[in-house]
Amino acid sequence: MKHVDQPGRNVRVLTYNVHRWLGTDRQISPGRIAEVIASCEADIVALQEVRVGRVHKGHPDQAEILAKHLGMDLHFQPTIRMLGEQYGIAVLTRHPSDIVRAGRLPSLVSGPSFEKRCALWVAVEIDGRRLNVVNAHLSLRSRERRAQAAALLGEEWMGHPDCADPAVLLGDFNAPPYSRSYRFIAGHLRDAQLANQTGDPQPTFHTRAPVLRLDHVFVTPSIEVITAAPVRNALTRVASDHFPLLTEMRVGHRLQAVSDAQTLASEQELL
């Protein structure tokens, strides 16, 4: 039995802070967010500030609307529970997937906190190859954010033996490139917008006046970044206060077992 390299395939990955489905026009519309996501044709979607529950009594759950509209499986991790509703982060995908880990990130606040910053690690199977995806939404406080960034690169998340290359760390980091937490992560993983082959990095926040690059996609060495840029159009300018960040990448080779007989037959066809 021999092994041959199979070329990697292109994968479209999206990270999007959906602002509790609340647009800049003050309208709550999970359907509008679903329209944005569908237009991006993403294989994997990482969401932050996801609102789970019913906007009005008798109406269906908002996250269910989104997943059903997109035809994707949804994995959710709450960060806030309030009045029968939950808010948090999520990963959606069309491919077979499982949650590997979901849990809290470090907090420097003593006592209970309103929002528990969390991360969600999902293993996605694409053409027989495992892609590890870690979605996170970090704190607004700089010291706390640095502790959370260190934890994400530690042994429970990206540094775990099971979170091997190829892997993606993405989300709303509340960290512009000059921040210490961003520089710490970028010192260990590649920023997809910097590895982008088609243009310079672009801000993702605020949709009315984009000046800050807070949303990021970081990748491990075997992943080739083809394009990475915010999706800017009339719909994304109103659907949330963040632009979605879409990255197209080529996930590395996989080995496929080939019998000696198959190899010999292939070689004879070339003669």
Side-chain angles (χ1 to χ4, degrees):
M1 189 76 69
K2 296 182 179 180
H3 290 84
V4 296
D5 277 328
Q6 296 295 305
R9 62 156 286 181
N10 288 10
V11 178
R12 294 168 71 87
V13 176
L14 187 76
T15 182
Y16 194 10
N17 183 323
V18 297
H19 197 222
R20 309 181 307 281
W21 321 123
L22 180 65
T24 55
D25 59 358
R26 310 306 299 171
Q27 298 297 311
I28 295 175
S29 178
R32 185 165 56 185
I33 293 294
E35 186 179 347
V36 170
I37 296 171
S39 70
C40 294
E41 299 181 338
D43 298 282
I44 300 166
V45 180
L47 301 179
Q48 304 83 43
E49 294 193 25
V50 176
R51 182 179 181 180
V52 174
R54 292 166 172 79
V55 177
H56 302 292
K57 186 176 180 179
H59 285 208
D61 184 283
Q62 300 133 77
E64 289 179 5
I65 295 173
L66 185 82
K68 183 176 180 180
H69 181 88
L70 295 169
M72 303 177 88
D73 293 329
L74 176 108
H75 304 289
F76 175 73
Q77 170 63 23
T79 60
I80 301 174
R81 291 182 173 92
M82 182 175 62
L83 300 176
E85 288 193 296
Q86 297 182 88
Y87 302 81
I89 58 177
V91 172
L92 299 93
T93 177
R94 307 180 190 282
H95 301 276
S97 59
D98 292 293
I99 294 179
V100 179
R101 179 178 175 80
R104 295 185 61 177
L105 295 173
S107 172
L108 302 183
V109 177
S110 58
S113 58
F114 175 69
E115 182 171 9
K116 301 172 177 63
R117 300 290 180 169
C118 296
L120 176 62
W121 170 9
V122 175
V124 182
E125 183 182 332
I126 302 175
D127 294 343
R129 181 68 184 263
R130 170 171 163 148
L131 175 64
N132 291 296
V133 178
V134 178
N135 178 19
H137 188 192
L138 302 193
S139 174
L140 294 170
R141 303 180 183 92
S142 59
R143 286 184 60 245
E144 195 166 64
R145 195 166 56 238
R146 292 197 298 272
Q148 291 165 357
L152 283 171
L153 294 182
E155 61 184 13
E156 292 186 341
W157 300 99
M158 299 297 291
H160 192 284
D162 291 339
C163 196
D165 188 12
V168 179
L169 172 64
L170 75 173
D172 177 2
F173 292 84
N174 281 310
Y178 54 79
S179 67
R180 290 175 64 182
S181 51
Y182 167 89
R183 287 185 281 123
F184 179 75
I185 297 173
H188 294 79
L189 301 168
R190 289 186 300 131
D191 179 343
Q193 281 216 67
L194 292 180
N196 179 21
Q197 301 175 9
T198 59
D200 295 328
Q202 299 296 320
T204 58
F205 180 84
H206 184 286
T207 51
R208 286 184 173 175
V211 294
L212 293 173
R213 194 156 73 89
L214 302 180
D215 306 270
H216 305 289
V217 175
F218 297 100
V219 299
T220 52
S222 74
I223 295 176
E224 177 188 358
V225 176
I226 300 168
T227 61
V231 179
R232 293 183 180 173
N233 54 46
L235 184 59
T236 60
R237 287 186 181 93
V238 72
S240 174
D241 58 351
H242 285 246
F243 285 111
L245 175 60
L246 179 63
T247 301
E248 184 168 358
M249 57 185 70
R250 184 168 293 116
V251 178
H253 301 281
R254 67 185 178 93
L255 291 176
Q256 181 181 38
V258 178
S259 70
D260 292 337
Q262 287 176 306
T263 304
L264 178 60
S266 298
E267 291 173 348
Q268 288 175 340
E269 287 178 3
L270 297 175
L271 295 178

